[in-house]
Amino acid sequence: MKRLHLIIMLLLFNSLRAIGQEDIKITHFPFIQGLTEHSVSIVWTTDQPATGWVELAPDDSSHFYFKERTKYFASAYGFKKVGTLHQVTLNNLKPGTRYRYRVYSQQVLKHEGVNVQYGKVVASNVYRQTPLSFQTLGNAASTHFTVVNDIHERNEVLDKLLDIGNLKTSDFVVFNGDMVNNLLSEKQLYDGFMDTAIKRFASEKPMFYARGNHETRGPFATAYPKYFPTPTGKLYYQFRHGNTGFIVLDCGEDKPDTDIEYSGIVEMDNYRTEQAAWLAQAVEDPSFKDAKYKVVICHMPPFGGWHGEQEILEKFVPILNKAGAQIMLSGHLHRHIIQNATNSIHFPIIVNSNNNVLRVDLNNEKGTFKILDQQGKVVDQVVIKPLN
């Protein structure tokens, strides 16, 4: 009889585990995406399906527990989202303002009809730790940022380059493509570079991502936009910080769409045509048109002779020439190149290598783009003047 009772108890325990009675965990802590003067997206993951929300507080002297903080839920179409990937977008923020935040997830065990059974809640720590924080973009007197590219899952190189790029004084970091070899899974995305980014800066300092051609490869490539939301909802977008207008372009693939490597799954030529139509409107936006500095970020440069590079030259460059773009920051070629303005491309292009970091400082007198190697030595630099 005792043995039968023990078997029943074990079966009951296992059935409870099967419907998700285990404690929920945050598997990857939050990171900042799509930051603008008035909005931001916060992204994190859990090990079990859950709802998610952010509590927001001003960066004042009050303790986070001083009072109940406003909750902002991950939601769409009037529903709170349930899943393991959580994204909350905060709107109506003040420019150049620092906010503190905390993320929460509550496990959803069962949803039958209109009845929902909830499990436990997990949250980032604000009791024994300083709450996470971020600062919106705004009317800064100068702009400072760090650029890395073509890391290809080399976390030790990423770690070293972030040190040399001086995270402490950077307003944000740019990942200029090919941070992975290809995209196979969420685990590979985080193991490859994002866990390092979150550990080093990305929970509090914004990261702007220009997709590279290697992020378009692999079965998980179509999930990429869910992890890296942008202000436009597309993978090409623009933003303004201080005296500088930025346009971030999505280069697409480097070979023709029909190449055997893509197995007939891509349509990049039409995508770049669509993007060019957006670009023609984006350069007329006052955030770019009236800026002292006009910076373009695109993983592949408009030279090299491959199909994708030629598409960028033919579809994007004429628009950028007409708009008075001052400089393009690229990667892709795994070597350091500075190409000065030519008759066909009216602005210089910096191609940063896969082993160097680009440190950018833009103030009212001049804009300095320094390329540093892994020993911190300045390899090369470009200086441009403000437009007005």
Side-chain angles (χ1 to χ4, degrees), residues 65-104:
Y65 288 138
F66 173 65
K67 65 177 182 179
E68 184 177 357
R69 305 299 183 177
T70 305
K71 295 178 174 63
Y72 300 88
F73 286 88
S75 63
Y77 310 108
F79 295 99
K80 295 176 183 177
K81 293 181 180 178
V82 177
T84 57
L85 174 64
H86 310 281
Q87 177 203 328
V88 173
T89 300
L90 307 173
N91 294 304
N92 302 314
L93 304 177
K94 296 178 181 179
T97 303
R98 183 163 293 280
Y99 294 88
R100 297 175 295 163
Y101 75 96
R102 189 182 194 190
V103 301
Y104 289 79

